mmCIF file of all heavy atoms in Angstrom:
data_model
loop_
_atom_site.group_PDB
_atom_site.id
_atom_site.type_symbol
_atom_site.label_atom_id
_atom_site.label_comp_id
_atom_site.label_asym_id
_atom_site.label_seq_id
_atom_site.Cartn_x
_atom_site.Cartn_y
_atom_site.Cartn_z
ATOM 1 N N ARG Y 38 -5.823 7.864 1.076
ATOM 2 C CA ARG Y 38 -6.646 8.366 2.173
ATOM 3 C C ARG Y 38 -5.908 9.544 2.789
ATOM 4 O O ARG Y 38 -4.747 9.420 3.162
ATOM 5 C CB ARG Y 38 -6.896 7.271 3.201
ATOM 6 C CG ARG Y 38 -7.821 6.182 2.650
ATOM 7 C CD ARG Y 38 -8.034 5.039 3.622
ATOM 8 N NE ARG Y 38 -8.510 5.433 4.935
ATOM 9 C CZ ARG Y 38 -9.798 5.604 5.280
ATOM 10 N NH1 ARG Y 38 -10.728 5.439 4.378
ATOM 11 N NH2 ARG Y 38 -10.128 5.932 6.510
ATOM 12 N N VAL Y 39 -6.613 10.679 2.858
ATOM 13 C CA VAL Y 39 -6.022 11.902 3.389
ATOM 14 C C VAL Y 39 -7.004 12.561 4.350
ATOM 15 O O VAL Y 39 -8.209 12.392 4.244
ATOM 16 C CB VAL Y 39 -5.641 12.875 2.249
ATOM 17 C CG1 VAL Y 39 -4.431 12.389 1.494
ATOM 18 C CG2 VAL Y 39 -6.797 13.086 1.298
ATOM 19 N N LYS Y 40 -6.445 13.318 5.283
ATOM 20 C CA LYS Y 40 -7.269 13.990 6.287
ATOM 21 C C LYS Y 40 -7.177 15.493 6.083
ATOM 22 O O LYS Y 40 -6.110 16.021 5.783
ATOM 23 C CB LYS Y 40 -6.789 13.633 7.690
ATOM 24 C CG LYS Y 40 -7.607 14.276 8.788
ATOM 25 C CD LYS Y 40 -7.132 13.852 10.166
ATOM 26 C CE LYS Y 40 -7.991 14.521 11.242
ATOM 27 N NZ LYS Y 40 -7.583 14.105 12.578
ATOM 28 N N ILE Y 41 -8.311 16.176 6.265
ATOM 29 C CA ILE Y 41 -8.332 17.629 6.202
ATOM 30 C C ILE Y 41 -9.017 18.155 7.452
ATOM 31 O O ILE Y 41 -10.004 17.589 7.926
ATOM 32 C CB ILE Y 41 -9.022 18.136 4.912
ATOM 33 C CG1 ILE Y 41 -8.837 19.643 4.772
ATOM 34 C CG2 ILE Y 41 -10.472 17.722 4.853
ATOM 35 C CD1 ILE Y 41 -9.185 20.189 3.401
ATOM 36 N N ASP Y 42 -8.454 19.222 8.001
ATOM 37 C CA ASP Y 42 -9.006 19.839 9.201
ATOM 38 C C ASP Y 42 -8.881 21.341 9.056
ATOM 39 O O ASP Y 42 -8.088 21.836 8.262
ATOM 40 C CB ASP Y 42 -8.241 19.352 10.443
ATOM 41 C CG ASP Y 42 -9.026 19.553 11.722
ATOM 42 O OD1 ASP Y 42 -10.218 19.908 11.648
ATOM 43 O OD2 ASP Y 42 -8.441 19.360 12.796
ATOM 44 N N GLY Y 43 -9.672 22.068 9.795
ATOM 45 C CA GLY Y 43 -9.597 23.518 9.746
ATOM 46 C C GLY Y 43 -10.824 24.119 9.116
ATOM 47 O O GLY Y 43 -11.937 23.627 9.289
ATOM 48 N N ALA Y 44 -10.646 25.168 8.338
ATOM 49 C CA ALA Y 44 -11.736 25.981 7.816
ATOM 50 C C ALA Y 44 -12.378 25.400 6.558
ATOM 51 O O ALA Y 44 -12.401 26.011 5.499
ATOM 52 C CB ALA Y 44 -11.227 27.392 7.558
ATOM 53 N N VAL Y 45 -12.900 24.177 6.680
ATOM 54 C CA VAL Y 45 -13.662 23.554 5.593
ATOM 55 C C VAL Y 45 -15.008 23.117 6.152
ATOM 56 O O VAL Y 45 -15.171 22.939 7.365
ATOM 57 C CB VAL Y 45 -12.919 22.338 4.975
ATOM 58 C CG1 VAL Y 45 -11.694 22.783 4.209
ATOM 59 C CG2 VAL Y 45 -12.567 21.303 6.010
ATOM 60 N N ALA Y 46 -15.982 22.936 5.275
ATOM 61 C CA ALA Y 46 -17.335 22.602 5.707
ATOM 62 C C ALA Y 46 -17.415 21.258 6.434
ATOM 63 O O ALA Y 46 -18.112 21.133 7.440
ATOM 64 C CB ALA Y 46 -18.277 22.612 4.506
ATOM 65 N N LYS Y 47 -16.720 20.245 5.912
ATOM 66 C CA LYS Y 47 -16.801 18.906 6.507
ATOM 67 C C LYS Y 47 -15.398 18.322 6.705
ATOM 68 O O LYS Y 47 -14.933 17.524 5.889
ATOM 69 C CB LYS Y 47 -17.626 17.981 5.607
ATOM 70 C CG LYS Y 47 -19.077 18.437 5.426
ATOM 71 C CD LYS Y 47 -19.837 17.502 4.519
ATOM 72 C CE LYS Y 47 -19.422 17.795 3.087
ATOM 73 N NZ LYS Y 47 -20.141 17.055 2.068
ATOM 74 N N PRO Y 48 -14.707 18.704 7.789
ATOM 75 C CA PRO Y 48 -13.381 18.134 8.035
ATOM 76 C C PRO Y 48 -13.483 16.627 8.255
ATOM 77 O O PRO Y 48 -14.512 16.127 8.694
ATOM 78 C CB PRO Y 48 -12.902 18.832 9.303
ATOM 79 C CG PRO Y 48 -13.985 19.727 9.758
ATOM 80 C CD PRO Y 48 -15.137 19.615 8.828
ATOM 81 N N GLY Y 49 -12.420 15.921 7.913
ATOM 82 C CA GLY Y 49 -12.420 14.480 8.126
ATOM 83 C C GLY Y 49 -11.434 13.777 7.219
ATOM 84 O O GLY Y 49 -10.570 14.395 6.600
ATOM 85 N N VAL Y 50 -11.594 12.471 7.135
ATOM 86 C CA VAL Y 50 -10.726 11.633 6.305
ATOM 87 C C VAL Y 50 -11.475 11.304 5.021
ATOM 88 O O VAL Y 50 -12.649 10.922 5.059
ATOM 89 C CB VAL Y 50 -10.336 10.335 7.056
ATOM 90 C CG1 VAL Y 50 -9.496 9.436 6.166
ATOM 91 C CG2 VAL Y 50 -9.590 10.672 8.342
ATOM 92 N N TYR Y 51 -10.802 11.456 3.906
ATOM 93 C CA TYR Y 51 -11.407 11.214 2.602
ATOM 94 C C TYR Y 51 -10.537 10.282 1.768
ATOM 95 O O TYR Y 51 -9.320 10.300 1.880
ATOM 96 C CB TYR Y 51 -11.600 12.541 1.847
ATOM 97 C CG TYR Y 51 -12.639 13.417 2.498
ATOM 98 C CD1 TYR Y 51 -12.285 14.313 3.510
ATOM 99 C CD2 TYR Y 51 -13.968 13.323 2.130
ATOM 100 C CE1 TYR Y 51 -13.244 15.105 4.120
ATOM 101 C CE2 TYR Y 51 -14.933 14.106 2.739
ATOM 102 C CZ TYR Y 51 -14.564 14.989 3.734
ATOM 103 O OH TYR Y 51 -15.511 15.758 4.350
ATOM 104 N N GLU Y 52 -11.192 9.505 0.934
ATOM 105 C CA GLU Y 52 -10.492 8.630 -0.011
ATOM 106 C C GLU Y 52 -10.592 9.286 -1.385
ATOM 107 O O GLU Y 52 -11.692 9.561 -1.869
ATOM 108 C CB GLU Y 52 -11.129 7.247 -0.029
ATOM 109 C CG GLU Y 52 -10.338 6.248 -0.832
ATOM 110 C CD GLU Y 52 -10.797 4.814 -0.613
ATOM 111 O OE1 GLU Y 52 -11.381 4.531 0.444
ATOM 112 O OE2 GLU Y 52 -10.562 4.004 -1.516
ATOM 113 N N LEU Y 53 -9.446 9.562 -1.973
ATOM 114 C CA LEU Y 53 -9.378 10.232 -3.269
ATOM 115 C C LEU Y 53 -8.550 9.408 -4.241
ATOM 116 O O LEU Y 53 -7.802 8.517 -3.843
ATOM 117 C CB LEU Y 53 -8.726 11.617 -3.121
ATOM 118 C CG LEU Y 53 -9.400 12.611 -2.184
ATOM 119 C CD1 LEU Y 53 -8.518 13.853 -2.033
ATOM 120 C CD2 LEU Y 53 -10.764 13.002 -2.693
ATOM 121 N N GLU Y 54 -8.670 9.746 -5.513
ATOM 122 C CA GLU Y 54 -7.847 9.081 -6.526
ATOM 123 C C GLU Y 54 -6.392 9.509 -6.356
ATOM 124 O O GLU Y 54 -6.113 10.646 -5.990
ATOM 125 C CB GLU Y 54 -8.311 9.463 -7.928
ATOM 126 C CG GLU Y 54 -9.669 8.941 -8.289
ATOM 127 C CD GLU Y 54 -10.072 9.322 -9.707
ATOM 128 O OE1 GLU Y 54 -9.211 9.802 -10.481
ATOM 129 O OE2 GLU Y 54 -11.244 9.151 -10.030
ATOM 130 N N ALA Y 55 -5.487 8.593 -6.610
ATOM 131 C CA ALA Y 55 -4.065 8.942 -6.585
ATOM 132 C C ALA Y 55 -3.847 10.065 -7.587
ATOM 133 O O ALA Y 55 -4.461 10.096 -8.645
ATOM 134 C CB ALA Y 55 -3.219 7.725 -6.948
ATOM 135 N N GLY Y 56 -2.995 11.015 -7.242
ATOM 136 C CA GLY Y 56 -2.730 12.153 -8.108
ATOM 137 C C GLY Y 56 -3.584 13.365 -7.778
ATOM 138 O O GLY Y 56 -3.426 14.412 -8.389
ATOM 139 N N SER Y 57 -4.509 13.229 -6.811
ATOM 140 C CA SER Y 57 -5.344 14.357 -6.407
ATOM 141 C C SER Y 57 -4.501 15.407 -5.687
ATOM 142 O O SER Y 57 -3.478 15.091 -5.092
ATOM 143 C CB SER Y 57 -6.461 13.888 -5.477
ATOM 144 O OG SER Y 57 -7.330 13.000 -6.139
ATOM 145 N N ASN Y 58 -4.971 16.653 -5.737
ATOM 146 C CA ASN Y 58 -4.246 17.712 -5.044
ATOM 147 C C ASN Y 58 -5.096 18.271 -3.904
ATOM 148 O O ASN Y 58 -6.209 17.794 -3.652
ATOM 149 C CB ASN Y 58 -3.799 18.803 -6.020
ATOM 150 C CG ASN Y 58 -4.962 19.546 -6.650
ATOM 151 O OD1 ASN Y 58 -6.058 19.620 -6.110
ATOM 152 N ND2 ASN Y 58 -4.722 20.103 -7.823
ATOM 153 N N GLY Y 59 -4.577 19.290 -3.221
ATOM 154 C CA GLY Y 59 -5.267 19.863 -2.074
ATOM 155 C C GLY Y 59 -6.618 20.450 -2.420
ATOM 156 O O GLY Y 59 -7.561 20.383 -1.621
ATOM 157 N N TRP Y 60 -6.735 21.026 -3.610
ATOM 158 C CA TRP Y 60 -8.019 21.585 -4.017
ATOM 159 C C TRP Y 60 -9.067 20.491 -4.187
ATOM 160 O O TRP Y 60 -10.250 20.701 -3.893
ATOM 161 C CB TRP Y 60 -7.877 22.406 -5.294
ATOM 162 C CG TRP Y 60 -7.137 23.680 -5.059
ATOM 163 C CD1 TRP Y 60 -5.882 23.998 -5.517
ATOM 164 C CD2 TRP Y 60 -7.567 24.795 -4.287
ATOM 165 N NE1 TRP Y 60 -5.522 25.241 -5.071
ATOM 166 C CE2 TRP Y 60 -6.539 25.762 -4.317
ATOM 167 C CE3 TRP Y 60 -8.724 25.079 -3.563
ATOM 168 C CZ2 TRP Y 60 -6.634 26.977 -3.667
ATOM 169 C CZ3 TRP Y 60 -8.813 26.303 -2.911
ATOM 170 C CH2 TRP Y 60 -7.788 27.237 -2.973
ATOM 171 N N ASP Y 61 -8.653 19.324 -4.675
ATOM 172 C CA ASP Y 61 -9.580 18.192 -4.787
ATOM 173 C C ASP Y 61 -10.092 17.794 -3.405
ATOM 174 O O ASP Y 61 -11.270 17.495 -3.225
ATOM 175 C CB ASP Y 61 -8.891 16.991 -5.448
ATOM 176 C CG ASP Y 61 -8.453 17.280 -6.873
ATOM 177 O OD1 ASP Y 61 -9.175 18.017 -7.581
ATOM 178 O OD2 ASP Y 61 -7.387 16.770 -7.274
ATOM 179 N N LEU Y 62 -9.186 17.812 -2.428
ATOM 180 C CA LEU Y 62 -9.554 17.461 -1.058
ATOM 181 C C LEU Y 62 -10.490 18.506 -0.459
ATOM 182 O O LEU Y 62 -11.478 18.176 0.187
ATOM 183 C CB LEU Y 62 -8.302 17.300 -0.198
ATOM 184 C CG LEU Y 62 -8.510 16.924 1.265
ATOM 185 C CD1 LEU Y 62 -9.315 15.645 1.410
ATOM 186 C CD2 LEU Y 62 -7.159 16.791 1.965
ATOM 187 N N VAL Y 63 -10.202 19.788 -0.701
ATOM 188 C CA VAL Y 63 -11.083 20.859 -0.219
ATOM 189 C C VAL Y 63 -12.482 20.689 -0.818
ATOM 190 O O VAL Y 63 -13.494 20.823 -0.124
ATOM 191 C CB VAL Y 63 -10.490 22.250 -0.561
ATOM 192 C CG1 VAL Y 63 -11.507 23.349 -0.339
ATOM 193 C CG2 VAL Y 63 -9.235 22.503 0.263
ATOM 194 N N GLY Y 64 -12.549 20.350 -2.096
ATOM 195 C CA GLY Y 64 -13.840 20.121 -2.748
ATOM 196 C C GLY Y 64 -14.592 18.953 -2.135
ATOM 197 O O GLY Y 64 -15.797 19.028 -1.901
ATOM 198 N N ALA Y 65 -13.886 17.872 -1.854
ATOM 199 C CA ALA Y 65 -14.517 16.704 -1.230
ATOM 200 C C ALA Y 65 -15.026 17.037 0.169
ATOM 201 O O ALA Y 65 -16.018 16.468 0.625
ATOM 202 C CB ALA Y 65 -13.523 15.546 -1.169
ATOM 203 N N ALA Y 66 -14.353 17.972 0.828
ATOM 204 C CA ALA Y 66 -14.731 18.366 2.186
ATOM 205 C C ALA Y 66 -15.781 19.475 2.191
ATOM 206 O O ALA Y 66 -16.017 20.103 3.219
ATOM 207 C CB ALA Y 66 -13.493 18.798 2.966
ATOM 208 N N GLY Y 67 -16.394 19.747 1.075
ATOM 209 C CA GLY Y 67 -17.475 20.721 1.021
ATOM 210 C C GLY Y 67 -17.048 22.152 0.798
ATOM 211 O O GLY Y 67 -17.855 23.067 0.880
ATOM 212 N N GLY Y 68 -15.788 22.385 0.528
ATOM 213 C CA GLY Y 68 -15.299 23.728 0.241
ATOM 214 C C GLY Y 68 -14.841 24.481 1.478
ATOM 215 O O GLY Y 68 -15.040 24.043 2.612
#
Side-chain angles (χ1 to χ4, degrees):
R38 290 177 55 87
V39 287
K40 181 178 180 178
I41 189 166
D42 200 9
V45 291
K47 298 179 283 185
V50 177
Y51 292 88
E52 188 168 336
L53 301 173
E54 293 181 12
S57 296
N58 65 25
W60 289 111
D61 297 324
L62 180 56
V63 168

